C-alpha cells in the first residue's frame, strides 16, 4: 500500500550539470576532457570508429525496382506431372489463381507463362498471360485450349 510518505515520485527532477564537484556532474559536465565530442553541437553521424560504416557495407541498390513483378514459368511436362500426381484435374481451368491457391507457383508472381518443353497427354484448358508458339501448338494438337490475357 502506498501512503503519502513513501509515494512513488512521478516527476523526476532533471540533473543540473556544471554545478560543482559534489553534484557528480560538475566542471566538464560528464563530457570528459577536450576533444570534438566535448564541444556543443557535434554529432558524428554514421562514424563507427574506423570500422567500415553500415552504408558502405551494404550492397548498392541502383535502379533495380524493389517490387519487381516476377513471371511464373510452367513447362508442359510440369503441368503433365501435376496432372499425374492429381494436384490438378484436367477438367479445371488452369490459371495463376488456381496455381497460387495450390501453392504450385509463388504467390508474388504477377504473370504466368506457359512454355512448350516436354509433352502433354491430357486435354486441358489453360488461361495464361504469355505462351510460347510451341506450347500453343502442342496444346491445340491434343485438343486443349489456351486463352491469353491481354
Amino acid at each position: 500500500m502506498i501512503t503519502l510518505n513513501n509515494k512513488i515520485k512521478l516527476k523526476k527532477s532533471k540533473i543540473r550539470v556544471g554545478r560543482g564537484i559534489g553534484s557528480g556532474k560538475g566542471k566538464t559536465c560528464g563530457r570528459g576532457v577536450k576533444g570534438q565530442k566535448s564541444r556543443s553541437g557535434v554529432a558524428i553521424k554514421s562514424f563507427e570508429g574506423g570500422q567500415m560504416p553500415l552504408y558502405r557495407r551494404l550492397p548498392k541498390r541502383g535502379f533495380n525496382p524493389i517490387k519487381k513483378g516476377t513471371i511464373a514459368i510452367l513447362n508442359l511436362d510440369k503441368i503433365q506431372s501435376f496432372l499425374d500426381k492429381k494436384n490438378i484435374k484436367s477438367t479445371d481451368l488452369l490459371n495463376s489463381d488456381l496455381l497460387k491457391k495450390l501453392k504450385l507457383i509463388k504467390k508474388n508472381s504477377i504473370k504466368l507463362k506457359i512454355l512448350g518443353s516436354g509433352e502433354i497427354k491430357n486435354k486441358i484448358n489453360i488461361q495464361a498471360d504469355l505462351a510460347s508458339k510451341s506450347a500453343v501448338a502442342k496444346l491445340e494438337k491434343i485438343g486443349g485450349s489456351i486463352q491469353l490475357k491481354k
Side-chain angles (χ1 to χ4, degrees):
M1 189 172 135
I2 299 169
T3 60
L4 284 173
N5 294 343
N6 63 357
K7 202 167 86 172
I8 299 163
K9 262 195 164 179
L10 296 174
K11 191 171 182 187
K12 265 192 153 179
S13 54
K14 195 179 124 212
I15 293 172
R16 297 174 70 216
V17 292
R19 295 294 186 279
I21 300 164
S23 69
K25 286 273 188 275
K27 194 185 165 213
T28 53
C29 310
R31 285 176 173 265
V33 192
K34 294 185 182 175
Q36 187 179 11
K37 287 182 180 173
S38 70
R39 317 288 185 222
S40 68
V42 174
I44 308 167
K45 287 186 179 75
S46 74
F47 183 69
E48 298 180 24
Q51 174 179 301
M52 188 61 69
L54 183 68
Y55 72 91
R56 287 184 61 195
R57 272 181 275 162
L58 298 174
K60 287 195 271 186
R61 294 294 293 248
F63 288 94
N64 298 329
I66 296 165
K67 292 187 99 178
K68 186 170 74 171
T70 54
I71 298 173
I73 293 170
L74 269 185
N75 279 308
L76 291 178
D77 58 352
K78 194 76 173 170
I79 295 168
Q80 185 60 50
S81 72
F82 291 149
L83 287 164
D84 294 340
K85 289 178 194 170
K86 294 189 170 54
N87 288 344
I88 53 175
K89 298 182 197 89
S90 57
T91 55
D92 293 342
L93 175 66
L94 190 71
N95 56 14
S96 57
D97 297 331
L98 176 73
L99 292 166
K100 282 178 191 175
K101 197 171 83 178
L102 297 171
K103 295 182 179 164
L104 300 175
I105 60 171
K106 288 183 180 175
K107 64 181 177 188
N108 66 345
S109 55
I110 290 171
K111 291 184 177 181
L112 174 65
K113 185 169 186 173
I114 307 296
L115 299 179
S117 171
E119 289 300 318
I120 189 160
K121 300 172 198 99
N122 302 50
K123 190 172 107 173
I124 190 162
N125 297 326
I126 299 173
Q127 187 180 36
D129 298 286
L130 308 157
S132 66
K133 289 175 185 172
S134 62
V136 173
K138 285 179 183 179
L139 276 165
E140 287 173 351
K141 193 176 105 180
I142 60 150
S145 70
I146 186 159
Q147 297 169 321
L148 296 178
K149 292 181 197 170
K150 292 289 181 257

